[in-house]
Amino acid sequence: MNGSHLIKVFLISLALIATVHSKEKFQIEHLPQVKHVIDVVASPSENLLAYTLSEPRDIVAGDEDGSSDMHLYVIKGDQAPIRFIAGKGRIGGLSFGPKSEKIYFTSKREGDDTTSLYAISLAGGEAEKVFSYDTNIEDYVISANGESLYFVAKEKEQKNELKDKGFKAYVFEEDFRMAKLWKWNFTDPESEAESIFSKGDVSSITLSSNNEFIVAAVAPTNLIDDYYMQRDLHVISLKNHKVLTTVDMPGKLGKFIVSPDNKKLAMYAGTDIHDTSTGVLMVADIKTGALTQLTQNELQYVMDIAWKDGDILAAVHKGVETELVQYNTKGNIEKTLPTPDDIALDYLAVSKQGIYFLASSAAHPTALFAVTKDGVTKLTQHNTWLEDIELGKQTTFEYKARDGEMIQGLLMTPNGKKPSAGWPLIMMIHGGPESHYSDGWLTGYSNPGHFGTAQGYAVFYPNYRGSTGRGVAFAKAHQNDYAGKEFNDIVDGLTALAEAGIIDKDRVGITGGSYGGYASMWAATAQSEYFKAAVAFVGISNQISKFGTSDIPNEMHLVHSLVWPWENNNWMRILERSPVYHAGKANTPILILHGEDDTRVHPSQSMELFRSIKVRTDTPVRLVFYPGEGHGNRKAAARYDYSLRLMRWMNTYLAEDATRETEKPPFDLNLAEKLTTD
């Protein structure tokens, strides 16, 4: 190579380096630009796809506060996606009409008192309301001939005539207005809806292709605890509305779908009443109700299913990786379809025209993909702006816990040279614990991900014991051991990262929501020596009072504690596994955040820990409530506020010269300067 060629190569290299360094880093303010494909349906007869795209409100740019808007897109054949519905509001429950001339969806639009059924023509035009009921339409199906609508809705509440006079008292957990199964006639718009099944609380339904029966998931009451733990499947005749068969589910129930020949029912569900999740593939006989578990011994988690040529196509999560697997109805693998290694699959849609799925990666949020004869094609490009943003590096990190168990996690690190002492670390703990992290997009308002690495932090996502993705036994490994091996796995993860020279063990923070909030509270108290900062969201501080204030006490007992607090003199043991018990040892500055309307983990859980730490120590502690929010923040302003507080707390107490005595950041975020106003 001559000198001129060397100079040219050198100049190209300099240009590439300059391009990388000129990229803007991912900031909290970028979050409203992140768009996710949420749902996809495929037309059974035409080469058509419909999907919804979640588009967050940008509170900084002047959008009004609210939840993310949901927009409708359609793909016709090989054409680019066409936006059919935009604007403010949310839509869900997508389905194609019998002749694929219309797309149906549910929405609560301006002027609606309840969530109603709408339709929009594939030829274009405005969406039109098709049917509304006295209460929200929670699920629906349309008959193959287009004549009947079957839907799930609660009974109408009796109007309280005395409410204006101040009589607003209500009786807790005794309003058993069940969600019923109803039928309405499309050919007679003036007709009244008819109740065709009302024995229990109906949640979701699916229809046979021959229009002879409908399958409904039914719980004995409308309590969320029964929804989780007591739902069975009823096969209901559409001729006489009688129950033909009941499938007695052994545990939790996920999605269920009728086979094309109307003889079988495929589902993913819990293998027994103590199974924490719904990750096992099962098949039931429609006539007899006999249930066969197909993958109960597999070290995996079934995320979604669809029928394909008499087989069951499944999006399968194995550890942090995912696969697209085709099973026959006996549970044997027919084939594993090739998919890119760098994406994490979520949800499926199958038609005569092809196989489609949703997936994300470390570099892009959830998008829509198609399986073609040439491989896998990405059909949507809603986040091309990320090509100009510098993102952190994401890798799998596996380590051995203190008892020899191998634990997996995902590690995100900043670009550039690692500091000599290692990067400061934020441990990001998932909730559940019946959940897991996959090797996809890991950034959100409560999840620092790329905006954490942009500020110089490594971010680690451990799939500790109790996580799904590695089979039923691993998911049960935390049971009857609150804050035991499961949270030791978290400490062992930071130890392994420090020993590998990746992180600075003296600058470690922890955060998470729900069960991840419990882990963060535990880390700030019982394991305080390992963590210099904690941010706990909707977390559990007292397992005894949590039992008395949560809407899922039976789920807590059956899949987590396995014993009631009063059994076997268990009170003290449960208290000792509660962060409030260890509040006097808290040496970790902790920021506690909670939705005021949370029914899953009552806000009093955060109040208890706040008060205990404040009274018993001089450790910095702060409690922030979000009015109108529940078990997680939905609205733009609350999400933005959360992200800012999360990183400000970490930046304050994970700074190189920070100590416990470092002054708390101001309680006011001073947002007026950041927000665009008219």
Side-chain angles (χ1 to χ4, degrees):
M1 184 179 292
N2 61 34
S4 62
H5 284 146
L6 284 172
I7 293 171
K8 186 178 291 184
V9 170
F10 177 70
L11 291 174
I12 291 173
S13 299
L14 284 178
L16 290 172
I17 292 171
T19 299
V20 171
H21 286 290
S22 66
K23 284 188 174 183
E24 183 182 359
K25 291 187 176 182
F26 194 102
Q27 304 295 326
I28 290 172
E29 286 72 22
H30 285 125
L31 288 172
Q33 299 177 47
V34 176
K35 301 173 184 178
H36 291 272
V37 179
I38 298 297
D39 189 18
V40 58
V41 292
S43 166
S45 57
E46 304 292 334
N47 192 6
L48 292 167
L49 292 172
Y51 67 89
T52 50
L53 186 74
S54 173
E55 300 194 32
R57 307 264 179 109
D58 192 343
I59 199 78
V60 175
D63 284 351
E64 64 183 34
D65 192 23
S67 301
S68 297
D69 297 308
M70 208 73 75
H71 297 158
L72 174 66
Y73 285 76
V74 174
I75 298 178
K76 299 179 179 181
D78 296 329
Q79 298 178 21
I82 303 169
R83 187 161 69 175
F84 265 54
I85 296 176
K88 303 299 181 185
R90 298 175 65 83
I91 63 175
L94 295 184
S95 68
F96 280 94
K99 297 180 181 180
S100 294
E101 296 174 347
K102 295 180 179 180
I103 298 172
Y104 290 87
F105 61 92
T106 55
S107 184
K108 186 176 181 180
R109 307 186 122 194
E110 187 175 354
D112 288 338
D113 294 324
T114 61
T115 299
S116 304
L117 182 67
Y118 284 82
I120 188 168
S121 170
L122 268 298
E126 293 295 319
E128 296 181 351
K129 187 190 295 187
V130 177
F131 176 74
S132 62
Y133 189 62
D134 296 327
T135 58
N136 292 334
I137 295 175
E138 299 175 12
D139 196 12
Y140 76 94
V141 289
I142 298 172
S143 61
N145 58 15
E147 294 181 357
S148 300
L149 169 70
Y150 301 95
F151 67 96
V152 177
K154 284 184 172 60
E155 303 168 84
K156 185 177 181 180
E157 185 177 9
Q158 294 297 316
K159 187 176 181 180
N160 181 2
E161 302 290 349
L162 298 175
K163 195 170 184 179
D164 292 340
K165 295 183 179 293
F167 292 90
K168 301 176 183 179
Y170 64 93
V171 179
F172 185 59
E173 290 191 352
E174 288 191 32
D175 180 5
F176 290 127
R177 286 183 304 120
M178 304 294 188
K180 296 181 178 181
L181 177 58
W182 307 80
K183 178 183 177 182
W184 179 71
N185 192 345
F186 270 101
T187 60
D188 184 7
E190 301 302 318
S191 63
E192 294 289 329
E194 170 194 7
S195 173
I196 64 174
F197 183 84
S198 58
K199 298 176 182 178
D201 189 66
V202 182
S203 50
S204 51
I205 52 177
T206 188
L207 184 66
S208 64
S209 60
N210 59 14
N211 210 50
E212 292 184 359
F213 63 86
I214 197 167
V215 183
V218 183
T221 76
N222 62 1
L223 297 178
I224 189 68
D225 225 354
D226 284 349
Y227 172 87
Y228 276 135
M229 304 308 304
Q230 300 295 333
R231 288 194 300 164
D232 291 322
L233 293 172
H234 294 320
V235 181
I236 302 166
S237 167
L238 293 180
K239 184 177 182 181
N240 57 23
H241 304 163
K242 292 183 178 180
V243 175
L244 304 174
T245 316
T246 295
V247 182
D248 187 8
M249 298 306 302
K252 293 182 176 181
L253 174 64
K255 181 179 178 179
F256 52 95
I257 47 176
V258 180
S259 62
D261 62 6
N262 300 304
K263 294 181 179 180
K264 294 185 181 297
L265 194 64
M267 69 203 75
Y268 47 91
T271 189
D272 58 48
I273 197 62
H274 300 296
D275 194 347
T276 63
S277 62
T278 58
V280 175
L281 181 62
M282 303 182 187
V283 171
D285 185 275
I286 292 289
K287 283 189 176 181
T288 67
L291 183 68
T292 304
Q293 300 190 27
L294 305 181
T295 62
Q296 67 269 36
N297 296 318
E298 298 298 319
L299 303 183
Q300 62 183 36
Y301 181 88
V302 175
M303 192 74 180
D304 195 21
I305 54 173
W307 285 99
K308 174 64 176 172
D309 301 327
D311 290 334
I312 306 165
L313 193 65
V316 174
H317 287 212
K318 295 185 176 182
V320 298
E321 305 300 330
T322 63
E323 292 180 346
L324 189 57
V325 182
Q326 188 167 325
Y327 292 93
N328 62 29
T329 54
K330 293 183 179 180
N332 298 318
I333 295 176
E334 294 294 326
K335 58 183 174 180
T336 299
L337 284 70
T339 54
D341 293 334
D342 63 345
I343 61 173
L345 282 70
D346 282 321
Y347 301 109
L348 305 172
V350 174
S351 69
K352 293 178 182 178
Q353 284 71 36
I355 298 170
Y356 311 93
F357 61 83
L358 305 185
S360 69
S361 77
H364 68 76
T366 309
L368 174 59
F369 292 79
V371 178
T372 68
K373 62 181 180 180
D374 299 320
V376 171
T377 301
K378 187 179 177 187
L379 300 180
T380 59
Q381 305 288 342
H382 292 291
N383 292 283
T384 54
W385 62 275
L386 283 170
E387 295 171 4
D388 298 321
I389 302 295
E390 181 182 331
L391 301 176
K393 182 181 179 182
Q394 187 165 303
T395 57
T396 300
F397 184 82
E398 191 171 40
Y399 60 96
K400 186 179 291 186
R402 64 191 68 180
D403 63 356
E405 181 73 58
M406 295 305 298
I407 306 297
Q408 288 183 331
L410 291 160
L411 176 66
M412 295 180 69
T413 53
N415 293 300
K417 187 178 180 182
K418 176 173 62 68
S420 57
W423 283 294
L425 174 69
I426 298 175
M427 299 283 283
M428 180 68 221
I429 313 302
H430 66 68
E434 56 271 23
S435 178
H436 65 274
Y437 290 116
S438 295
D439 195 8
W441 182 262
L442 295 176
T443 302
Y445 80 95
S446 62
N447 187 337
H450 288 304
F451 63 82
T453 60
Q455 295 188 42
Y457 296 96
V459 186
F460 185 56
Y461 305 80
N463 284 333
Y464 54 97
R465 258 169 280 203
S467 302
T468 50
R470 292 180 60 184
V472 175
F474 189 85
K476 288 183 175 183
H478 78 294
Q479 292 179 332
N480 196 22
D481 188 25
Y482 279 139
K485 294 184 291 292
E486 56 185 1
F487 293 168
N488 288 340
D489 289 346
I490 296 169
V491 170
D492 293 344
L494 73 87
T495 300
L497 287 165
E499 290 177 349
I502 297 170
I503 61 107
D504 182 347
K505 65 180 178 60
D506 295 323
R507 297 171 66 197
V508 177
I510 186 169
T511 189
S514 193
Y515 213 84
Y518 174 33
S520 301
M521 290 175 170
W522 184 257
T525 55
Q527 297 174 326
S528 191
E529 66 268 30
Y530 299 103
F531 299 93
K532 293 295 184 291
V535 177
F537 187 35
V538 293
I540 304 156
S541 72
N542 186 336
Q543 289 288 4
I544 293 176
S545 58
K546 184 347 176 101
F547 161 77
T549 55
S550 175
D551 57 6
I552 53 167
N554 285 300
E555 200 259 3
M556 285 177 61
H557 165 241
L558 290 168
V559 305
H560 296 302
S561 66
L562 302 186
V563 292
W564 296 108
W566 54 85
E567 289 181 327
N568 304 324
N569 198 27
N570 205 35
W571 292 107
M572 196 62 200
R573 181 171 179 270
I574 289 181
L575 182 60
E576 289 174 350
R577 299 301 178 96
S578 301
V580 290
Y581 182 80
H582 303 275
K585 297 185 291 186
N587 199 42
T588 303
I590 180 170
L591 172 64
I592 306 169
L593 308 105
H594 216 120
E596 254 188 2
D597 296 342
D598 193 354
T599 58
R600 188 61 32 81
V601 178
H602 195 274
S604 60
Q605 290 291 304
S606 286
M607 294 175 71
E608 283 194 48
L609 187 63
F610 169 76
R611 187 65 67 207
S612 296
I613 292 177
K614 189 173 183 179
V615 169
R616 298 177 64 184
T617 76
D618 59 358
T619 298
V621 58
R622 173 170 290 158
L623 174 58
V624 178
F625 283 124
Y626 291 101
E629 299 289 357
H631 200 58
N633 291 351
R634 297 177 299 108
K635 295 184 178 180
R639 289 187 166 200
Y640 184 50
D641 181 282
Y642 184 101
S643 302
L644 293 174
R645 291 186 188 278
L646 165 66
M647 293 310 299
R648 190 175 64 165
W649 197 265
M650 294 297 180
N651 290 338
T652 298
Y653 292 106
L654 297 185
E656 287 189 73
D657 58 350
T659 67
R660 193 188 71 153
E661 285 70 38
T662 298
E663 185 178 355
K664 286 189 293 187
F667 71 87
D668 190 352
L669 287 175
N670 247 336
L671 288 175
E673 298 176 1
K674 292 177 175 286
L675 302 182
T676 299
T677 56
D678 294 331

